[in-house]
Amino acid sequence: MQAFLYIEITAETTYRKPLPEQVKQELPEVAVLDIDVQSDELLQHYALRLLRESDKAVACIKSDETAPGLGKAMPLLEELFQEKEGRLILLLGEHPRLLRMFQARPQVNFRQVAEQDALKEVKRFLL
């Protein structure tokens, strides 16, 4: 199974998220889940399960410097810090703390990309 997980860690979350919609449209065979720092524990549990059970997964983290903190996203981030074959983490936006956390883990397949390039990276990795 292939998966795409979109995690929004921003001060203001939006209901409409273009990137997950584009992934659903262009890669219909990929399981897509989007969450934010306000998501409840059940949704967080599904996100962890999706990451652990997929053969190939892309986790895309949209963040900005004004985000109040990592809060409820920490269990997911801890899972993403683990080295796992077939996993790519994309960071969209500027979040110095997250960037340092990922850069300190060279075993993790991680890239910081511009939002307009994210779909191309997802397709390149999953196809």
Side-chain angles (χ1 to χ4, degrees):
M1 169 178 63
Q2 293 183 331
F4 176 77
L5 178 61
Y6 185 80
I7 307 165
E8 191 170 22
I9 304 174
T10 57
E12 294 184 27
T13 58
T14 58
Y15 178 73
R16 186 175 175 281
K17 298 173 174 113
L19 185 57
E21 292 173 8
Q22 291 171 333
V23 172
K24 283 180 190 176
Q25 184 178 15
E26 296 199 27
L27 303 168
E29 69 283 357
V30 174
V32 176
L33 180 63
D34 69 269
I35 66 170
D36 56 47
V37 291
Q38 303 304 320
S39 296
D40 64 16
E41 284 185 38
L42 183 61
L43 199 53
Q44 297 257 349
H45 171 76
Y46 284 134
L48 279 170
R49 189 170 169 194
L50 184 67
L51 282 173
R52 291 174 180 157
E53 293 181 4
S54 59
D55 301 319
K56 281 183 115 177
V58 175
C60 186
I61 305 169
K62 181 177 181 177
S63 64
D64 60 35
E65 296 174 345
T66 63
L70 301 176
K72 292 183 184 178
M74 275 315 290
L76 275 174
L77 292 173
E78 288 171 4
E79 175 67 26
L80 293 173
F81 294 151
Q82 304 301 313
E83 180 179 7
K84 184 177 179 195
E85 193 70 31
R87 186 182 287 170
L88 172 66
I89 295 101
L90 299 175
L91 179 62
L92 309 178
E94 295 293 325
H95 195 290
R97 182 175 170 207
L98 264 179
L99 187 58
R100 283 191 308 273
M101 291 167 93
F102 280 110
Q103 288 174 336
R105 292 163 174 86
Q107 76 279 8
V108 175
N109 188 6
F110 162 78
R111 291 187 202 122
Q112 186 174 20
V113 296
E115 198 160 347
Q116 64 268 19
D117 298 328
L119 182 61
K120 181 175 66 174
E121 292 290 330
V122 171
K123 289 166 71 173
R124 182 182 308 157
F125 186 76
L126 292 178
L127 295 178

